[in-house]
PDB file of all heavy atoms in Angstrom:
ATOM      1  N   ASN A 192      -6.178  24.308  -2.887  1.00 98.00           N
ATOM      2  CA  ASN A 192      -5.199  23.938  -3.982  1.00 98.00           C
ATOM      3  C   ASN A 192      -4.179  25.124  -4.038  1.00 98.00           C
ATOM      4  O   ASN A 192      -4.238  25.994  -4.833  1.00 98.00           O
ATOM      5  CB  ASN A 192      -5.967  23.860  -5.260  1.00 98.00           C
ATOM      6  CG  ASN A 192      -5.098  23.254  -6.309  1.00 98.00           C
ATOM      7  OD1 ASN A 192      -3.882  23.169  -6.291  1.00 98.00           O
ATOM      8  ND2 ASN A 192      -5.712  22.793  -7.549  1.00 98.00           N
ATOM      9  N   ARG A 201      -7.607  28.675 -11.768  1.00 98.00           N
ATOM     10  CA  ARG A 201      -8.561  27.677 -11.340  1.00 98.00           C
ATOM     11  C   ARG A 201      -7.833  26.344 -10.929  1.00 98.00           C
ATOM     12  O   ARG A 201      -8.115  25.720  -9.933  1.00 98.00           O
ATOM     13  CB  ARG A 201      -9.590  27.485 -12.391  1.00 98.00           C
ATOM     14  CG  ARG A 201     -10.639  26.516 -11.961  1.00 98.00           C
ATOM     15  CD  ARG A 201     -11.777  26.439 -13.026  1.00 98.00           C
ATOM     16  NE  ARG A 201     -12.919  25.475 -12.804  1.00 98.00           N
ATOM     17  CZ  ARG A 201     -13.881  25.637 -12.037  1.00 98.00           C
ATOM     18  NH1 ARG A 201     -14.053  26.800 -11.327  1.00 98.00           N
ATOM     19  NH2 ARG A 201     -14.799  24.795 -11.827  1.00 98.00           N
ATOM     20  N   THR A 202      -6.981  25.907 -11.843  1.00 98.00           N
ATOM     21  CA  THR A 202      -6.370  24.647 -11.705  1.00 98.00           C
ATOM     22  C   THR A 202      -4.859  24.811 -11.484  1.00 98.00           C
ATOM     23  O   THR A 202      -4.292  25.879 -11.535  1.00 98.00           O
ATOM     24  CB  THR A 202      -6.490  23.810 -12.990  1.00 98.00           C
ATOM     25  OG1 THR A 202      -5.941  24.620 -14.076  1.00 98.00           O
ATOM     26  CG2 THR A 202      -8.043  23.531 -13.337  1.00 98.00           C
ATOM     27  N   SER A 203      -4.212  23.763 -11.026  1.00 98.00           N
ATOM     28  CA  SER A 203      -2.808  23.796 -10.719  1.00 98.00           C
ATOM     29  C   SER A 203      -1.890  23.984 -11.924  1.00 98.00           C
ATOM     30  O   SER A 203      -1.981  23.403 -12.873  1.00 98.00           O
ATOM     31  CB  SER A 203      -2.481  22.460 -10.063  1.00 98.00           C
ATOM     32  OG  SER A 203      -1.050  22.490  -9.579  1.00 98.00           O
ATOM     33  N   PRO A 204      -0.898  24.951 -11.804  1.00 98.00           N
ATOM     34  CA  PRO A 204       0.043  25.207 -12.896  1.00 98.00           C
ATOM     35  C   PRO A 204       0.961  23.959 -12.941  1.00 98.00           C
ATOM     36  O   PRO A 204       1.701  23.793 -13.885  1.00 98.00           O
ATOM     37  CB  PRO A 204       0.755  26.489 -12.447  1.00 98.00           C
ATOM     38  CG  PRO A 204       0.654  26.524 -11.047  1.00 98.00           C
ATOM     39  CD  PRO A 204      -0.700  25.926 -10.575  1.00 98.00           C
ATOM     40  N   ILE A 205       1.040  23.122 -11.859  1.00 98.00           N
ATOM     41  CA  ILE A 205       2.050  22.025 -11.902  1.00 98.00           C
ATOM     42  C   ILE A 205       1.601  20.814 -12.802  1.00 98.00           C
ATOM     43  O   ILE A 205       2.323  20.282 -13.572  1.00 98.00           O
ATOM     44  CB  ILE A 205       2.305  21.600 -10.499  1.00 98.00           C
ATOM     45  CG1 ILE A 205       2.935  22.740  -9.681  1.00 98.00           C
ATOM     46  CG2 ILE A 205       3.218  20.240 -10.437  1.00 98.00           C
ATOM     47  CD1 ILE A 205       3.009  22.445  -8.192  1.00 98.00           C
ATOM     48  N   ASP A 206       0.291  20.507 -12.571  1.00 98.00           N
ATOM     49  CA  ASP A 206      -0.175  19.253 -13.261  1.00 98.00           C
ATOM     50  C   ASP A 206      -1.534  19.435 -13.910  1.00 98.00           C
ATOM     51  O   ASP A 206      -2.176  18.592 -14.423  1.00 98.00           O
ATOM     52  CB  ASP A 206      -0.304  17.994 -12.219  1.00 98.00           C
ATOM     53  CG  ASP A 206      -1.249  18.435 -11.089  1.00 98.00           C
ATOM     54  OD1 ASP A 206      -1.955  19.440 -11.163  1.00 98.00           O
ATOM     55  OD2 ASP A 206      -1.000  17.777 -10.025  1.00 98.00           O
ATOM     56  N   GLY A 207      -2.050  20.758 -13.927  1.00 98.00           N
ATOM     57  CA  GLY A 207      -3.322  21.062 -14.485  1.00 98.00           C
ATOM     58  C   GLY A 207      -4.467  20.551 -13.727  1.00 98.00           C
ATOM     59  O   GLY A 207      -5.619  20.589 -14.187  1.00 98.00           O
ATOM     60  N   GLY A 208      -4.190  20.066 -12.447  1.00 98.00           N
ATOM     61  CA  GLY A 208      -5.177  19.382 -11.688  1.00 98.00           C
ATOM     62  C   GLY A 208      -6.331  20.396 -11.254  1.00 98.00           C
ATOM     63  O   GLY A 208      -6.102  21.363 -10.684  1.00 98.00           O
ATOM     64  N   ASN A 209      -7.537  19.939 -11.396  1.00 98.00           N
ATOM     65  CA  ASN A 209      -8.809  20.587 -10.875  1.00 98.00           C
ATOM     66  C   ASN A 209      -9.124  19.857  -9.702  1.00 98.00           C
ATOM     67  O   ASN A 209      -9.712  18.755  -9.648  1.00 98.00           O
ATOM     68  CB  ASN A 209      -9.853  20.604 -11.928  1.00 98.00           C
ATOM     69  CG  ASN A 209     -11.070  21.311 -11.418  1.00 98.00           C
ATOM     70  OD1 ASN A 209     -11.300  21.498 -10.177  1.00 98.00           O
ATOM     71  ND2 ASN A 209     -11.969  21.702 -12.363  1.00 98.00           N
ATOM     72  N   LEU A 210      -8.782  20.469  -8.436  1.00 98.00           N
ATOM     73  CA  LEU A 210      -8.883  19.732  -7.163  1.00 98.00           C
ATOM     74  C   LEU A 210     -10.435  19.330  -6.930  1.00 98.00           C
ATOM     75  O   LEU A 210     -10.592  18.213  -6.394  1.00 98.00           O
ATOM     76  CB  LEU A 210      -8.451  20.626  -6.064  1.00 98.00           C
ATOM     77  CG  LEU A 210      -8.400  20.036  -4.657  1.00 98.00           C
ATOM     78  CD1 LEU A 210      -7.663  18.654  -4.543  1.00 98.00           C
ATOM     79  CD2 LEU A 210      -7.779  20.989  -3.662  1.00 98.00           C
ATOM     80  N   ILE A 213     -11.136  15.722  -8.924  1.00 97.00           N
ATOM     81  CA  ILE A 213     -10.088  14.676  -8.882  1.00 97.00           C
ATOM     82  C   ILE A 213     -10.266  13.842  -7.734  1.00 97.00           C
ATOM     83  O   ILE A 213      -9.380  12.869  -7.586  1.00 97.00           O
ATOM     84  CB  ILE A 213      -8.724  15.419  -8.967  1.00 97.00           C
ATOM     85  CG1 ILE A 213      -7.688  14.712  -9.741  1.00 97.00           C
ATOM     86  CG2 ILE A 213      -8.230  15.891  -7.599  1.00 97.00           C
ATOM     87  CD1 ILE A 213      -6.440  15.589 -10.036  1.00 97.00           C
ATOM     88  N   THR A 221      -0.358  12.733  -9.057  1.00 98.00           N
ATOM     89  CA  THR A 221       0.282  14.051  -9.281  1.00 98.00           C
ATOM     90  C   THR A 221       0.108  14.890  -8.016  1.00 98.00           C
ATOM     91  O   THR A 221      -0.494  14.412  -7.112  1.00 98.00           O
ATOM     92  CB  THR A 221      -0.490  14.749 -10.409  1.00 98.00           C
ATOM     93  OG1 THR A 221      -1.750  15.087 -10.038  1.00 98.00           O
ATOM     94  CG2 THR A 221      -0.432  13.937 -11.759  1.00 98.00           C
ATOM     95  N   THR A 223      -1.779  17.522  -7.325  1.00 98.00           N
ATOM     96  CA  THR A 223      -3.141  17.671  -6.999  1.00 98.00           C
ATOM     97  C   THR A 223      -3.812  16.372  -6.489  1.00 98.00           C
ATOM     98  O   THR A 223      -4.658  16.429  -5.628  1.00 98.00           O
ATOM     99  CB  THR A 223      -3.988  18.290  -8.256  1.00 98.00           C
ATOM    100  OG1 THR A 223      -3.123  19.374  -8.757  1.00 98.00           O
ATOM    101  CG2 THR A 223      -5.194  18.897  -7.862  1.00 98.00           C
TER     102      THR A 223
END
Side-chain angles (χ1 to χ4, degrees):
N192 193 344
R201 180 174 179 83
T202 61
S203 176
I205 297 171
D206 55 18
N209 181 341
L210 184 55
I213 213 167
T221 66
T223 312

